């Protein structure tokens, strides 16, 4: 039997290197990695999702998205016929956002975020004080792929202003019990990963490698 194609979409600005420790049985699954690209000026999330969907060569492939990538793969469904959509450390509707996201949307405070500093993260590493901060900045340097201010401003607005009101019941949601970005008290109908944080695609890869094959293979 031909392996099932599985397309992985990383989180906001992240590179596909966040999936470097994810492993699926090669006889059953064929991994493909999707990368962020620059949005057009004033581009809608639906339009961007359509352009990303064009990179999926099998319309029935499984889609797996992390964080903002999880939001995007849900939008990509409109342009494909995926056999399964799995989101990790993400949300299924605007009602799963924490209150601070809703406040940011109402006040438009997200427009004040200094996204330009991410373009020079190497300089921050050079001048950072303390080993802990340096380690965190090195992680940003390693895993951030899209640092363009146009993309970052656009992506943050798309997350904050995502307007899906009704979750798709077919979406499979995997979520860490200690997710600090999307706390579980706002999340419903999910597969819990004990002690998983928002970055559990990196820290809980062993759990994912052990359970993803079964989750993806279920009818």
């Amino acid at each position: 039997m031909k392996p099932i194609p599985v397309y992985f979409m990383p989180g906001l600005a992240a590179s596909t290197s966040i999936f470097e420790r994810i492993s699926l049985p090669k006889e059953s699954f064929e991994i493909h990695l999707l990368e962020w690209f620059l949005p057009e000026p004033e581009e809608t999330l639906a339009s961007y999702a359509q352009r990303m969907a064009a990179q999926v060569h099998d319309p029935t492939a499984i889609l797996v998205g992390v964080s903002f990538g999880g939001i995007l793969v849900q939008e990509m469904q409109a342009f494909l016929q995926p056999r399964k959509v799995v989101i990790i450390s993400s949300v299924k509707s605007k009602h799963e956002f924490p209150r601070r996201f809703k406040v940011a949307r109402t006040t438009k405070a997200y427009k004040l975020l200094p996204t330009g500093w991410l373009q020079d993260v190497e300089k921050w590493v050079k001048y950072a004080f303390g080993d802990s901060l340096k380690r965190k900045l090195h992680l940003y340097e390693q895993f951030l792929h899209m640092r363009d201010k146009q993309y970052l401003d656009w992506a943050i607005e798309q997350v904050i202003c995502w307007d899906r009101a009704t979750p798709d019941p077919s979406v499979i949601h995997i979520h860490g019990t200690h997710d600090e970005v999307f706390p579980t008290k706002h999340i419903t109908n999910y597969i819990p990963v004990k002690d998983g944080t928002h970055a559990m695609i990196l820290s809980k890869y062993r759990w994912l490698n052990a359970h993803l094959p079964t989750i993806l293979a279920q009818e």
Side-chain angles (χ1 to χ4, degrees), residues 78-112:
F79 310 102
L80 300 164
Q81 299 85 47
R83 65 184 73 198
K84 194 164 293 185
V85 173
V86 179
I87 64 172
I88 300 171
S89 308
S90 190
V91 294
K92 299 182 292 298
S93 80
K94 64 181 181 180
H95 301 300
E96 294 188 333
F97 285 135
R99 184 174 180 273
R100 64 181 179 272
F101 277 57
K102 298 169 184 176
V103 171
R105 175 176 179 160
T106 301
T107 62
K108 297 191 183 299
Y110 60 88
K111 291 182 178 289
L112 302 177

Side-chain angles (χ1 to χ4, degrees), residues 18-50:
I18 68 168
F19 301 118
E20 63 187 9
R21 292 182 174 179
I22 297 300
S23 177
L24 298 174
K26 292 182 179 179
E27 66 275 11
S28 301
F29 303 102
E30 183 179 78
I31 291 179
H32 300 268
L33 304 177
L34 295 169
E35 291 270 19
W36 294 105
F37 50 76
L38 277 177
E40 301 290 343
E42 307 295 323
E43 186 166 20
T44 65
L45 185 58
S47 170
Y48 191 94
Q50 184 174 19

Side-chain angles (χ1 to χ4, degrees), residues 112-132:
L112 302 177
L113 291 172
T115 51
W117 77 272
L118 288 170
Q119 295 174 297
D120 295 314
V121 70
E122 290 87 353
K123 292 180 182 177
W124 287 88
V125 171
K126 182 178 178 181
Y127 296 110
F129 292 95
D131 290 339
S132 177

